[in-house]
Amino acid sequence: MPELVPATPQLLRRVSAGAVLEFLRASAAVTVTDVMAATGLTRATTIAVCEDLVRRGWVLERENQREFGGYQKGRPARRFELNERAGVVLGMDIGYSKVTVVVSDLRGRTLGRSSRPFQAGEVGSRERIAFIDGVAGAALSSAGMEPGQVLAVCAGVAAPVDRHGDVVATQEFWGLFDLGLRPALKETRGWTVLLENDANLAALGDRWQGAAAGIDDVVVILASERLGSGIVEGGRLVHGTRGSAGELAYLDLVEGVGDTYGIAHLARTWAADALATTAPTTLRSVQGRVEAEQVFTAAEQGDAVALGILDRLADRMARVVGTVATLLNPELVVIGGGVADSAGVLLRPISERLKEFTATPARVAVSPLGDSIVTVGAVRCALDYVERNSLDLELAAPATPA
Amino acid sequence: MPELVPATPQLLRRVSAGAVLEFLRASAAVTVTDVMAATGLTRATTIAVCEDLVRRGWVLERENQREFGGYQKGRPARRFELNERAGVVLGMDIGYSKVTVVVSDLRGRTLGRSSRPFQAGEVGSRERIAFIDGVAGAALSSAGMEPGQVLAVCAGVAAPVDRHGDVVATQEFWGLFDLGLRPALKETRGWTVLLENDANLAALGDRWQGAAAGIDDVVVILASERLGSGIVEGGRLVHGTRGSAGELAYLDLVEGVGDTYGIAHLARTWAADALATTAPTTLRSVQGRVEAEQVFTAAEQGDAVALGILDRLADRMARVVGTVATLLNPELVVIGGGVADSAGVLLRPISERLKEFTATPARVAVSPLGDSIVTVGAVRCALDYVERNSLDLELAAPATPA
DNA sequence: GAAAGTAAATTTAGATTCAATATAAATGTA
DNA sequence: TACATTTATATTGAATCTAAATTTACTTTC
């Protein structure tokens, strides 16, 4: 933020450089003339800024300029482009049972990833941090990147995180998530770690590459095992004072909902309930516990019991969506998480049911990001940080003449 | 917003002037040395900026400098202060049945006001606008101010208003509120009119001068006849896409609530219900319809029926507060509006009941602003606009040498 | 192949703004 | 009256921007 910088002439260069960099992030290799048109700066200033950015490592100047663009008259234009390999960011999903780390370049392209389940013994903070560090190292190796190139890390956890990135342990349980990951990775790796709630990251992720692309007012409901939501309003995450905005515990009081179990959990439970009766259903043929997937598959094939479960799920989800959407008035409500792949069939019945609860029903969608919605959001969150702070960050290898 | 201004050297002066003005708004008459300490600028720059602001009418230089401050050594310091009469703002509350307009100086001090009920015939937009214009004129007269001195107007209406200040007519009913007030007053008076939802203004008002002073995450529930709420998160109003964030219609689905009637309405209704039975109560002695006030008074005197009503009200409000606070995690929930004066007695039972619904109950308060909560918020909203845009606004009488 | 045309790059001049330093002014105190 | 203290003003220098003039590098045309 340039707010804290004093109003010296250098501030001007900062503002100009920020504008140029922002344009370059949204463009491929461009000419100075392009940059001038986008920023309103003069040619002299634009060139000075671009060369400044090249010197600092954020921008590359292309050789063989004539290769680009069809226009061939006049003196060949120099071409500048964002150095998308100036550094990388890490997006982490720290779940109950496993850790996933994604390595991304500055344009958000995935360069590598690694995912490992926690071992039984790894319960202490120390062990968990070491484990996470290990997965991060593996992900970096798979991308062929060095730890020194990491510009920012964002980690998603299933606990409330306030807007300063601190885990708020409102209940003892959440304390488990306050691993001290930030100071630890700062110390050993020199990395800046941003913590964020997993549902919030899901919202950022889906808004970036999912169903809510470009939408500024959206609620994303993670709905697999437990219901939780991330709220984006006016393009910004809504955290609340202690980071627990988006929590859906109030559903205990909503008729027809009554708890915060998610779709996968309920599908399993209700299927088991049905099997305890004499109702005829193809689900009886399943070996072992009936999983949510199988309920959805059976429903597609017309199984009455499965269809009944879908019906109840749709009714429930419509109530959940209806309450959240009424209070927050998003443009879109997205259902995401591991169950999203199969939840597509719920979309129409939910929308239908929704009309009964509210006069102006919200649009509902299922996220195409599936299980990776949290890591995608974590990458976005880390990139947001880097983009906000580019001009204050030092790059590992600025302007190394090859 | 300085974002759109190109990065010319003049931008620097803008930034400096903004910083100085911001400091002056929070101070009384100050010396250049004070300003230097607050802004980090040098003496020369500070003086140039101050004189600039004096020339443009936003700042006054005090005579008889020695009157201020105890320190008497050295060359007497010049004293600068905000010209709080550089202009005025209007805060309007456009209710169902009446219009209130408050005139405020730039420090938020009330200079005058006027309030009038709509006449029976005044239903068309044209008539209503003329009526509102008349009340504004009367308020200005009572303040001894001219229409040309109005720098901004903010009007609160009981309809959804999006973040651009447009009334969103999601239901035909709201269309009534889209009077075209903004273009009309721009044309006839030259005024910039900001529209905003009344509950949202209540939130701004209470955060400024009420129970939520200085709190960045707060929900204010207007609770007299109908329940509605204004949400502030991270210091910013939450509007949603179409301006209807904060609507509580979802309460129809919440057990023990079931509708969105407010405290005053329910107190009246339930009192009437009780009187239709044979229950012994002092409320029987009331002439005509029993008003909410009287229920509260009777309860204070130990009347069993009235106490029962309070109990039901507290339970309801606790459910409302509990649901909203769980989803949004505010630091404080404020109950405001016309009923607030008497609702103080509900505070303790609501808080008690809240503990049953949620593990981490929100703090609850009643706004001290009573009926004027909306106009106070409207003034704040208009002042916010003026403060954001000072450097772009032309003053009516800049630097008139007396 | 030389001349003309075109668009970009570079140079130069001028203005604004700020910091830093030096100097002047106004007041109180010895 | 001399001196200390604080503020005000003037001067200088550096960074930055715009605008206009000039140079460069390439293409097209004759």
Side-chain angles (χ1 to χ4, degrees):
Chain A
M1 298 293 143
E3 249 59 72
L4 291 175
V5 178
T8 76
Q10 288 84 337
L11 174 65
L12 287 182
R13 177 50 61 91
R14 247 187 108 81
V15 172
S16 300
V20 170
L21 204 45
E22 188 180 335
F23 173 66
L24 288 178
R25 272 192 212 106
S27 324
V30 294
T31 67
V32 172
T33 307
D34 297 332
V35 178
M36 288 168 62
T39 61
L41 298 170
T42 56
R43 174 156 255 114
T45 306
T46 305
I47 291 176
V49 168
C50 284
E51 291 181 342
D52 227 38
L53 291 170
V54 169
R55 215 170 302 123
R56 298 170 65 176
W58 287 103
V59 171
L60 295 177
E61 183 169 1
R62 280 276 181 128
E63 317 281 317
N64 312 326
Q65 301 94 337
R66 276 289 148 119
E67 286 179 9
F68 304 91
Y71 208 85
Q72 294 290 299
K73 286 182 191 165
R75 178 173 175 169
R78 299 163 72 177
R79 297 260 168 180
F80 293 94
E81 68 179 331
L82 183 71
N83 180 7
E84 56 200 21
R85 298 297 169 92
V88 297
V89 298
L90 303 186
M92 298 184 171
D93 181 359
I94 302 178
Y96 294 97
S97 54
K98 72 173 179 185
V99 171
T100 306
V101 177
V102 170
V103 183
S104 164
D105 72 13
L106 295 184
R107 288 208 188 271
R109 269 190 289 264
T110 299
L111 303 177
R113 72 163 60 224
S114 178
S115 187
R116 290 186 203 158
F118 279 118
Q119 301 303 311
E122 283 156 346
V123 289
S125 295
R126 236 192 162 72
E127 288 78 15
R128 289 170 81 97
I129 288 172
F131 182 78
I132 292 166
D133 185 270
V135 182
L140 278 169
S141 301
S142 79
M145 292 289 164
E146 299 296 321
Q149 294 176 281
V150 173
L151 294 172
V153 179
C154 177
V157 296
V161 179
D162 66 22
R163 57 179 137 262
H164 312 295
D166 294 314
V167 170
V168 180
T170 45
Q171 302 166 35
E172 324 79 76
F173 174 68
W174 300 136
L176 281 179
F177 291 92
D178 187 12
L179 303 171
L181 192 64
R182 298 218 286 173
L185 289 183
K186 188 71 184 179
E187 171 126 3
T188 61
R189 298 279 209 175
W191 293 345
T192 296
V193 177
L194 313 164
L195 280 184
E196 187 53 89
N197 173 265
D198 56 358
N200 284 354
L201 291 183
L204 293 186
D206 192 74
R207 219 165 78 82
W208 183 31
Q209 299 187 344
I215 294 181
D216 277 347
D217 303 281
V218 62
V219 175
V220 174
I221 301 178
L222 281 185
S224 295
E225 293 299 322
R226 282 268 171 191
L227 296 177
S229 73
I231 304 166
V232 171
E233 199 270 347
R236 296 166 9 115
L237 273 178
V238 170
H239 284 94
T241 350
R242 314 260 294 160
S244 71
E247 207 186 307
L248 300 179
Y250 73 93
L251 292 172
D252 295 345
L253 291 175
V254 174
E255 283 180 59
V257 182
D259 56 55
T260 58
Y261 288 116
I263 291 174
H265 178 101
L266 289 173
R268 282 199 310 270
T269 308
W270 291 343
D273 290 351
L275 290 176
T277 71
T278 59
T281 166
T282 59
L283 291 173
R284 288 196 193 284
S285 61
V286 173
Q287 303 291 322
R289 191 171 75 163
V290 176
E291 295 296 332
E293 285 295 320
Q294 297 158 331
V295 176
F296 284 99
T297 313
E300 268 174 38
Q301 291 158 5
D303 183 87
V305 164
L307 284 170
I309 291 175
L310 253 58
D311 210 49
R312 287 176 69 188
L313 283 173
D315 184 78
R316 255 179 74 94
M317 288 306 295
R319 288 169 192 268
V320 175
V321 171
T323 53
V324 171
T326 302
L327 185 59
L328 290 168
N329 186 219
E331 188 174 336
L332 177 70
V333 177
V334 175
I335 296 172
V339 84
D341 295 330
S342 31
V345 293
L346 284 174
L347 211 46
R348 181 188 291 266
I350 289 175
S351 299
E352 292 297 322
R353 214 61 62 91
L354 206 49
K355 290 183 195 154
E356 299 166 21
F357 300 137
T358 152
T360 52
R363 202 149 62 81
V364 186
V366 169
S367 175
L369 296 177
D371 230 355
S372 63
I373 191 167
V374 176
T375 52
V376 169
V379 166
R380 183 65 258 167
C381 183
L383 285 174
D384 284 344
Y385 171 83
V386 171
E387 295 182 359
R388 272 197 315 273
N389 297 92
S390 298
L391 299 175
D392 295 317
L393 295 176
E394 284 292 320
L395 294 178
T400 29
Chain B
M1 301 293 146
E3 249 59 71
L4 292 175
V5 178
T8 78
Q10 288 83 339
L11 175 65
L12 287 183
R13 176 51 59 93
R14 245 187 109 82
V15 173
S16 300
V20 170
L21 204 44
E22 188 180 336
F23 174 65
L24 289 177
R25 272 191 211 108
S27 323
V30 293
T31 67
V32 172
T33 307
D34 297 331
V35 178
M36 288 167 62
T39 60
L41 298 169
T42 56
R43 173 156 257 116
T45 307
T46 307
I47 290 177
V49 168
C50 284
E51 290 181 341
D52 226 40
L53 290 171
V54 169
R55 215 170 303 123
R56 297 170 67 174
W58 288 102
V59 170
L60 294 177
E61 184 170 0
R62 280 274 182 128
E63 318 282 319
N64 314 326
Q65 300 95 333
R66 276 291 146 118
E67 287 177 11
F68 304 91
Y71 207 86
Q72 293 292 296
K73 283 184 193 165
R75 179 172 176 169
R78 298 163 72 177
R79 296 261 169 180
F80 293 94
E81 68 180 332
L82 183 72
N83 179 8
E84 55 200 24
R85 298 298 167 92
V88 296
V89 299
L90 303 185
M92 299 184 171
D93 181 359
I94 302 178
Y96 294 97
S97 54
K98 73 174 179 185
V99 171
T100 306
V101 177
V102 170
V103 183
S104 164
D105 73 12
L106 295 184
R107 286 207 189 273
R109 268 190 289 266
T110 299
L111 303 177
R113 72 163 62 224
S114 178
S115 188
R116 289 185 203 159
F118 280 118
Q119 301 302 310
E122 284 156 345
V123 288
S125 293
R126 236 193 163 73
E127 288 79 12
R128 288 170 81 97
I129 288 172
F131 181 79
I132 292 167
D133 186 270
V135 183
L140 278 169
S141 301
S142 79
M145 291 289 164
E146 299 295 322
Q149 293 176 281
V150 174
L151 294 172
V153 179
C154 176
V157 296
V161 179
D162 66 22
R163 55 180 141 260
H164 312 294
D166 294 313
V167 171
V168 180
T170 44
Q171 301 167 36
E172 324 80 75
F173 175 69
W174 300 135
L176 280 179
F177 291 92
D178 188 12
L179 304 170
L181 192 65
R182 298 220 286 174
L185 289 183
K186 189 71 184 177
E187 170 125 4
T188 61
R189 299 279 210 174
W191 293 345
T192 296
V193 177
L194 315 163
L195 280 185
E196 188 51 90
N197 173 265
D198 55 357
N200 283 354
L201 291 183
L204 293 185
D206 192 75
R207 219 164 79 82
W208 184 31
Q209 299 188 345
I215 294 181
D216 277 348
D217 303 281
V218 61
V219 174
V220 174
I221 302 178
L222 282 185
S224 294
E225 293 300 321
R226 283 267 171 191
L227 296 178
S229 74
I231 303 165
V232 171
E233 198 272 347
R236 296 165 11 113
L237 274 178
V238 170
H239 284 93
T241 347
R242 314 260 296 161
S244 71
E247 207 186 306
L248 301 179
Y250 73 95
L251 292 173
D252 296 345
L253 290 175
V254 175
E255 283 179 57
V257 182
D259 55 55
T260 58
Y261 289 116
I263 292 174
H265 179 101
L266 289 173
R268 282 201 309 271
T269 308
W270 290 343
D273 290 352
L275 289 176
T277 70
T278 60
T281 167
T282 59
L283 290 173
R284 290 197 192 286
S285 61
V286 174
Q287 305 288 323
R289 188 170 76 161
V290 177
E291 295 296 333
E293 286 294 321
Q294 296 159 331
V295 176
F296 284 98
T297 313
E300 267 174 40
Q301 290 158 7
D303 183 88
V305 164
L307 284 170
I309 291 174
L310 253 57
D311 210 50
R312 287 177 68 189
L313 284 173
D315 183 78
R316 254 180 75 95
M317 289 305 295
R319 287 170 193 268
V320 175
V321 171
T323 54
V324 171
T326 302
L327 186 59
L328 291 167
N329 187 221
E331 188 174 337
L332 179 70
V333 177
V334 175
I335 297 172
V339 84
D341 296 330
S342 31
V345 294
L346 285 175
L347 211 45
R348 180 188 291 265
I350 289 174
S351 299
E352 291 297 321
R353 214 61 61 93
L354 206 49
K355 291 181 194 155
E356 300 166 20
F357 299 137
T358 152
T360 53
R363 202 150 62 80
V364 186
V366 168
S367 175
L369 296 177
D371 231 354
S372 61
I373 192 167
V374 176
T375 52
V376 169
V379 167
R380 184 65 257 167
C381 183
L383 285 174
D384 284 345
Y385 171 83
V386 171
E387 294 181 0
R388 273 198 314 273
N389 297 92
S390 300
L391 299 175
D392 295 317
L393 295 176
E394 286 290 320
L395 293 177
T400 29

